[in-house]
Amino acid sequence: MRHFILTLLTAAIACTAMASDRYDTMSERALRAFDSREWASAAALYELMLDRRPDSTDSYVRAVVASEMVGDTVAGPDLVSRAMAHGIGLPQILTRSRAQFFDIGAGDAYPAMLYRLLGKFPWMRRAIEHELLDYYTFRDNGPEIIKYARIMLTGLPDSEEYRLLLARGYLLSGDRDAACSEWQSILDTDPNCIDALLPLGYSLAQQGDTARALDILRRAQSIAPTPYIASTIRGLEKL
C-alpha cells in the first residue's frame, strides 16, 4: 500500500513538472510572438496560458494589447472583465496596458480601447474617464484635456487638480485668457497654490502686465524660492 501511494505521488509530481514545463514553453513562444509583432499568434497563446493560470496579470495585459492590434473589438473588454473577476484591479490593468501600447509604438490604440470599455462598463465610467484625462494630459491634447477635466469637475467642482488641468488645457488650446482666469480662480480659494501662481505670473509677464506679474511672482518666490523666479523678478523690476 505504501509503495502504491509513493508511486501515485511520484506520478503526480512528474505530471505537475510536465505541465509546468509546457506552460513555460508556451510562455516563451507567446513572448517571442509578441516581441515579433505576430499579434494573432500572441493573442491565441496568451489565451491558452490564461486557461492554465487565469490570475496572471502579465498574460492579461499582453493578451489585451495583442487583441487590440489585430482589431478584435470584443476581446479587450472581455479580458479586462475576466482579469477583474480574478482579483486584478482595473488601475493595474490599465496602467500596464498603456505602458505596453507605448512600448510597441501604438499609443494611439490605447484611448480607442478605453472608449470601448466605457461602452461595456458604464458603472466604471468615472475611473475610465479619469484615465482618458491622464492620457490626453500626457499627450498635451488641449481640447481633450478641457473636455475630460470638465467632466471630472462635474463630480468634484472644487478639485484643485482638475481645475489646474483645465487651465492647462486652455493654455494648450491657445486660450491664454481662459487659462489665466482659471488660475486666478484657483488662487482666490488657495492663495498659496504654487502650481497656479507660477504659470499665471509668467503668462502675465508675457502679456506685458508687469505690475500684476511682479505681485504674483513675488508671492511664488516667498513660498517656493528658486533662482529662476528671482531672475525673472529682477528682469521685470528693471522694466
Side-chain angles (χ1 to χ4, degrees):
M1 182 67 178
R2 181 182 178 190
H3 177 71
F4 177 69
I5 293 173
L6 288 174
T7 301
L8 286 178
L9 286 172
T10 301
I13 292 170
C15 288
T16 300
M18 290 174 61
S20 178
D21 288 342
R22 285 197 295 269
Y23 182 88
D24 290 343
T25 300
M26 194 184 304
S27 177
E28 292 172 3
R29 289 176 58 199
L31 186 57
R32 281 199 302 272
F34 190 92
D35 289 342
S36 300
R37 309 299 194 259
E38 297 170 5
W39 303 121
S41 295
L45 286 165
Y46 281 115
E47 279 286 2
L48 290 174
M49 290 169 62
L50 287 168
D51 287 341
R52 301 277 187 87
R53 298 182 186 175
D55 60 348
S56 171
T57 304
D58 285 343
S59 294
Y60 279 115
V61 167
R62 292 198 178 99
V64 164
V65 173
S67 298
E68 289 291 322
M69 296 309 293
V70 296
D72 189 335
T73 61
V74 175
D78 177 65
L79 286 161
V80 171
S81 178
R82 286 158 54 193
M84 291 190 295
H86 285 90
I88 302 170
L90 179 65
Q92 186 178 8
I93 288 291
L94 294 184
T95 299
R96 295 179 63 171
S97 296
R98 175 176 163 180
Q100 283 285 359
F101 277 118
F102 277 104
D103 283 346
I104 64 172
D108 290 341
Y110 182 61
M113 183 193 76
L114 292 177
Y115 290 129
R116 281 195 288 279
L117 291 179
L118 272 176
K120 180 78 172 180
F121 309 118
W123 60 91
M124 295 192 300
R125 173 171 292 275
R126 191 155 182 87
I128 297 170
E129 287 174 339
H130 183 279
E131 183 66 15
L132 281 163
L133 174 58
D134 192 53
Y135 170 81
Y136 286 121
T137 299
F138 176 78
R139 287 294 206 188
D140 282 340
N141 187 323
E144 293 296 329
I145 293 173
I146 293 170
K147 174 183 175 180
Y148 284 101
R150 284 174 172 167
I151 287 172
M152 300 310 291
L153 283 166
T154 59
L156 289 171
D158 297 326
S159 169
E160 194 169 277
E161 173 191 358
Y162 297 138
R163 293 169 72 191
L164 286 167
L165 287 173
L166 180 59
R168 178 176 175 178
Y170 286 137
L171 188 65
L172 289 169
S173 299
D175 193 344
R176 188 183 295 273
D177 288 343
C180 288
S181 178
E182 192 63 38
W183 286 320
Q184 185 59 63
S185 177
I186 293 168
L187 293 172
D188 288 342
T189 55
D190 181 7
N192 295 328
C193 178
I194 194 70
D195 291 325
L197 285 167
L198 288 176
L200 178 58
Y202 292 132
S203 291
L204 291 172
Q206 290 173 5
Q207 292 174 326
D209 193 341
T210 305
R212 286 184 65 203
L214 276 170
D215 177 61
I216 295 291
L217 291 175
R218 283 168 179 158
R219 284 162 59 189
Q221 181 71 350
S222 69
I223 296 167
T226 70
Y228 183 76
I229 301 174
S231 174
T232 303
I233 290 171
R234 287 195 297 271
L236 290 172
E237 287 172 339
K238 291 178 182 178
L239 296 176

